[in-house]
Amino acid sequence: MSKKVLIVGGVAGGASAAARLRRLDESAQIIIFERGEYVSFANCGLPYYVGEVIAERKKLLVQTPENFKARFNIDVRVNSEVTRIFPYKKQVEVREKDGRTYIETYDYLILSPGASPVRPPIPGIEAENIFTVRTIPDVDNIKDFIEKTKPKRAVVVGGGFIGLEMAENLHARDIKTTIVEMLDQVLAPLDFEMAAIVHSHIRAAGVDLVLKDGVKAFINENNLTKEVELQSGRRIPADLVILAIGVKPEVKLAKEAGLEIGERGGIRVNEKLQTSDPYIFAIGDAIEVKDLVTGQYTLIPLAGPANKQGRIVADIIAGRNSKYEGTQGTAIVKIFDCVAASTGANEKILKKLGIPYEVSYTHPASHAAYYPGPVPMSIKLLFNPKTGKILGAQIVGKDGVDKRIDVIASAIRRGDTVFDLQELELAYAPPFSSAKDPVNMAGYVAGNIINGDMPVIHWHEIENLDRQNTLLVDVRTKAEYELGHIEGSINIPVDELRNRLGELPKDKDIVIYCQVGLRGYIATRILMQNGYVKVRNLSGGWKTYKPAMDEKKKG
């Protein structure tokens, strides 16, 4: 007997589930309900369409109802909103665009309603030139507004992925853009010192960045925002406003049907992605998922996990044994000439949950230094201080960030340790990498910390040192030292260290630092093998310390 499967919502999760189910079961009756006009579109590409990087609108349309019908024999009903679920009857109520309603029965129901942009009750928020970026009609409205009114100034509220991408693309259209972020940093998945590197790139590109300040009101005239008033009292002129504060799961339908909602506000599902009703599944941005690293329920609205979840649900409905192992939140974003990526847990989350961790920073070149055009990247690796199990990673740079974060993300998925990173055999030729790839180097440095070969101190701990009993030693060259150094430090270049050991007392704590950590490591090894027992190296060196402290002082 053929199954009847209804899917609420298309885009990533719903469309993926429908196509996979058809490939597994030719006899199933599959119906997708999409309340909008477009069943499957590339929502991650929307900012780039505004910026005209993607020139053709049709490129955003992944599948049309006609294509779904022709290739997969799937009944796609656009402009059709499922308004109620009757779980005990296995029925849904559907409302069409003209207001007509009807009942449809199901054997299995898949909920993929997604998430909606957050629109807080800020005075003036209903102005006609305040937009969100979630759907194709959203960007149609933004592009139409830009073409008709030629705005000179824009304010982007929110410094997450969408906010930064929109800021870049508005800037590319010669619109003077300001980003307003209530936190002390952009990109919440990054830790503060890694986001500080991104901040410098944003400012260098000519975009104003306002941190630790929220929007108090939109000052409107003739239903158009003219100024954005901040909590601090500052007013920013604006002809166009983009709201990119975040998204919240669309759970109204599930909640009214009596399905369990989790503590984070998403639909609660088990490892088979079943809701509290075993015949109703839920996937995508609307659900709470298990964090692969911490084991905690969380909300991670990303296209990759949604696609995988759709495939898994289709497998289960088709009778295959499949389950969803969890999400680790691997993500990447381009911000002007900078790329930022993260995977797994960050330091903020690990600290909040009381999970033991250690950190290492490395600043390798994107490829062999002797081959033209190498650019540096900054890698932060988080790991268990005893076992070395990798807990998370963040990388900021220009070239090669994507492949390094993907390698580490794969290692986290397998439960690997930093010692496993050392053993990875990765592709090498001078234009692409070094004989010791940046991933290998991150593993070596972390392994040295665990083995006790390199005791470390971190950038934020320097200001709390007892300076009476601590000696700070800069082991860079004299020229580097004179360009900038940690206040109170002395300069002994690493190549002179063996001959100047008499200048260093053995009864004091000694903190070594260099530019990125490598010379500091060599100096640390020299001292430790000459009877100095209280030695630590500043992880990531001056290159981690300086931008982080500069940013902290701005706050």
Side-chain angles (χ1 to χ4, degrees), residues 118-186:
V118 174
R119 291 182 70 96
I122 299 171
I125 199 169
E126 298 306 322
E128 292 174 8
N129 58 341
I130 298 178
F131 302 94
T132 56
V133 186
R134 189 70 182 172
T135 66
I136 288 196
D138 288 341
V139 293
D140 285 342
N141 291 335
I142 295 169
K143 286 202 73 170
D144 287 347
F145 183 83
I146 291 173
E147 297 303 325
K148 288 174 183 174
T149 68
K150 304 290 190 293
K152 296 283 188 284
R153 298 158 301 186
V155 172
V156 175
V157 184
F161 292 97
I162 296 295
L164 296 190
E165 288 170 348
M166 282 302 300
E168 177 180 355
N169 282 282
L170 291 172
H171 180 78
R173 298 197 63 170
D174 295 323
I175 301 172
K176 176 65 178 172
T177 303
T178 301
I179 299 169
V180 176
E181 171 55 59
M182 200 155 57
L183 299 176
D184 61 356
Q185 66 166 86
V186 300

Side-chain angles (χ1 to χ4, degrees), residues 6 13 33 62 165 255 264 385 387 413-414 470 481 506 511 533:
L6 306 185
F33 298 99
V62 181
E165 288 170 348
K255 196 172 184 179
R264 302 297 303 275
T387 67
R413 177 64 57 167
R414 297 188 340 160
T470 305
Y481 179 80
K506 290 189 175 179
V511 170
V533 294

